[in-house]
Amino acid sequence: MDVVEPPRRLSLVHTPRQVVDYALQRRALLADVYSGRVGTMEVCDASPYLLRAAKFHGQPTDVTCPVCRKEPLTRVSWVYGDELKHAAGSARTPDELARMAALFEEFTVYVVEVCRTCSWNHLVQSYVLGTRGLDNRKPRRRTAAE
Ligand SMILES: [Zn+2]
């Protein structure tokens, strides 16, 4: 029989921690690209591996590629962490991330945006998922007054 986690615990597990946003770095780099200080060859350098991951594990976004403006960007989530063993450094779908968040104590997710047309790629966000620290939290119980 499958063990189903209660929703309250799952929502805690799936709450990203230590979220780091890279929007500022992205904007600065794009400003350099637009002004010609940085060549597009230098920033549109997604590896075949990253492009493949975008194709098979990526999530489409509404954001048009800031460099070629030809297609919406795809976001790929990479997972890293000692606990993950061979799975470390692989791309994962949101469904897989959700499952992993309930299985592992702690792992880091790096979200990278990729343009599958011109190969622009940039780190968007990183955050930590997993069950670590949840045991210390008291589950919030509804009282009759609520
Ligand atoms: Zn592009």
Side-chain angles (χ1 to χ4, degrees):
M1 202 180 130
D2 287 335
V3 177
V4 178
E5 298 265 5
R8 186 184 304 275
R9 182 173 165 79
L10 269 187
S11 66
L12 280 176
V13 168
H14 296 164
T15 303
R17 309 189 290 274
Q18 301 170 40
V19 179
V20 181
D21 191 286
Y22 295 89
L24 279 179
Q25 290 90 330
R26 179 185 189 272
R27 210 176 303 153
L29 179 58
L30 283 171
D32 283 347
V33 171
Y34 295 151
S35 70
R37 283 191 295 272
V38 172
T40 51
M41 294 287 282
E42 291 172 54
V43 293
C44 298
D45 61 349
S47 67
Y49 186 56
L50 178 54
L51 291 171
R52 257 182 73 87
K55 185 176 178 184
F56 294 108
H57 306 281
Q59 298 299 306
T61 71
D62 296 331
V63 183
T64 303
C65 173
V67 178
C68 72
R69 304 187 193 280
K70 283 186 181 137
E71 69 158 60
L73 297 168
T74 304
R75 285 190 173 183
V76 187
S77 297
W78 299 90
V79 293
Y80 291 92
D82 293 341
E83 268 184 280
L84 305 183
K85 304 272 193 295
H86 67 279
S90 59
R92 298 287 151 169
T93 64
D95 283 351
E96 290 173 315
L97 290 177
R99 274 199 297 275
M100 291 171 70
L103 280 175
F104 296 102
E105 276 196 5
E106 192 168 85
F107 61 96
T108 305
V109 182
Y110 289 93
V111 183
V112 177
E113 65 179 24
V114 188
C115 173
R116 291 171 57 196
T117 297
C118 75
S119 297
W120 154 260
N121 60 106
H122 198 271
L123 185 59
V124 175
Q125 196 182 56
S126 69
Y127 57 89
V128 172
L129 286 178
T131 58
R132 177 169 292 172
L134 294 182
D135 294 342
N136 301 330
R137 299 197 198 189
K138 285 199 171 77
R140 190 171 165 274
R141 291 185 189 281
R142 276 179 182 278
T143 63
E146 277 185 297

